[in-house]
Amino acid sequence: MRYSGETHQAPDSRSNSNGAARYSFHSNNDNLIGKKVKKLNEGRNKLYVKVYNIPLVKKLSIHFNKIFSLLFNTLNYLILFYLFIHCGIGLAVGNLLGTPKNRVFNLLAHWIKGGVFVILGIVSLARYCGFGLNKSWGWNLSILKRSDYYNEITGRYNVPLWTKLFGKSGVNMEFIEVFLVFFYGSTNIFLEHLASEDGKWTAKDLQHVSIAFLYLGAGLCGLLVEFYMSDVKYKKGLEQYKQIIKETENRELSQEEIDDIIVANPGYSLNPLGPFTIFWTGILMSKHAQASPVSTAVHVQWGSLLSYGSPFRLLSMIYMLVFPAKEVGVAQRPFTEIISSFCLLSGGFIFMESTDQVIEAMEYRGYTEMFTFNISIGFITILMSWIIILFVCKDWLEKRQRN
């Protein structure tokens, strides 16, 4: 770029001219991009209007929009779970084709159960990074208002179905955890006997079934606790919201504004049954006698990791009590969740390794339990880094889109 009278300008005036030229260049570039985006939006909106003006489409969208939303969200999450299950089971069964069935079931048991804890660790870390903010899953205060769901076309309030089913406190992640614990225990009662060679119940089978009863009872207790905690969560969320309004806007919430709130959730539930179940699973399995010293040591590794991670989840709840949310819909990110996620991921991953086939391969090559332990810990930390990077990129893109 050239400057008029550059040889007669002082350095300060030159830098100012340079800055102005750069500003003008970027402004023109931004305007050009803005015009292109506006043109694309107008074309998209025109297409939406044409499709929506079709009488059949309009009737379907008005009368069945809730059903369509429910089907989409249900299938969306189920496809993700199916991917996890299909990859794990397919690889396990394909690896042992032609072998006795008890060896296949042994591998499947460790892969499925260990995989459950790996997925739970991924969800916990994602929750720390802000996953599920709109459902109060990201350790965030969630306030949903009826007026936000008003549809000007139909003149109705399209309140989500889950808010009607679960009341004013919504659905916490703790509720989903204890429900999965209950479901896991109810199915595990008969699955533990599949690896039996002669069909007879052994002491080992009964020991595994006792753990299934722990999951069944603890899961049911957790669901009942969530039922009793519903009003407590609503009151605590509403109390925090009133405090935020008082500090930021220097006023009190009116009764009309309070009546408009359909969900108030502090982002967590004081339900210790989930960590309690994982803690005792780790303790019981770390004391679980195995066929070889290497197998016993590996079980002690992942059992100890699971038991170590549970107290940090309780500390996360205490952290949220001591430091309540100062904003609505913003992730709190208690630092204890990083350690809890690491323990769940590492424990679940080593759990998957503790199957007979892996232990036999280790013993055949002369590897000790510390060899795979070091590799597993290193892999898990890299996986955690990758997950956090993905959420950092997601937050950056959302921030750029808003601006």
Side-chain angles (χ1 to χ4, degrees), residues 366-380:
Y367 295 154
T368 65
E369 64 276 5
M370 290 305 299
F371 175 78
T372 54
F373 184 75
N374 294 335
I375 294 176
S376 301
I377 296 298
F379 173 77
I380 290 302

Side-chain angles (χ1 to χ4, degrees), residues 92-110:
V93 174
N95 188 50
L96 292 175
L97 286 176
T99 60
K101 70 170 187 177
N102 61 314
R103 294 184 66 83
V104 175
F105 286 125
N106 178 270
L107 181 61
L108 281 177
H110 286 82

